[in-house]
Amino acid sequence: MELIHQFSSGLFIIQSVIFLALLFLLGKFAWKPILKSINDRETSIVDALNQAKLARKEMETLKEDNERIIREAKIERDAILKEAREIKDRIVGEAKDAAKNEGDKIIEAAKQTIQTEKNAAMADIKTQIGVLSVNIAESILKQKLDNNEAQNELVQNYLNKSNLN
């Protein structure tokens, strides 16, 4: 069978109408949704890229804020530690001063107690020496004044001395 191709204007018109109808139907029902979905996809990709850029910038900002907060926290920590050291030094100094003052008071009280005890001991020694001297003198006088003549002589000596003074 031999196919002869002849141009038929009726067939051409029908095929053209079918082609145009197909193009119209594809344009109305297929191309618009396909193009719309492609545009939507492109828009969502661009939005996703923009959001990624914004997220990256926000992350950088957060990172800078975190670093700044860490620096400030370190500075504040150092200040707190310095203040704590100063307070500790002040408290230790005050405690040392209080201990020194208390020690000085105790030493002064001990000195006064020692002086009082010393004075009491000296008074006691003087009393004992006085009693002992009187006892010694009494013993000596008893031995020397066993007779009346020695007693009269002693009285005369005392009277002569008291008249001279």
Side-chain angles (χ1 to χ4, degrees), residues 8-19:
S8 157
S9 62
L11 184 63
F12 177 74
I13 291 176
I14 290 176
Q15 285 180 345
S16 294
V17 168
I18 291 173
F19 181 72

Side-chain angles (χ1 to χ4, degrees), residues 70-82:
I70 289 171
R71 280 192 309 269
E72 290 173 358
K74 286 180 182 178
I75 291 170
E76 187 174 343
R77 179 200 66 200
D78 291 343
I80 289 171
L81 288 175
K82 180 181 177 187

Side-chain angles (χ1 to χ4, degrees), residues 6 13-14 21 48 71 79 82 86 101 114 119 131 140 158:
Q6 290 182 341
I13 291 176
I14 290 176
R71 280 192 309 269
K82 180 181 177 187
E86 290 172 355
N101 290 339
I114 290 170
N119 290 341
V131 169
I140 292 172
Y158 274 122

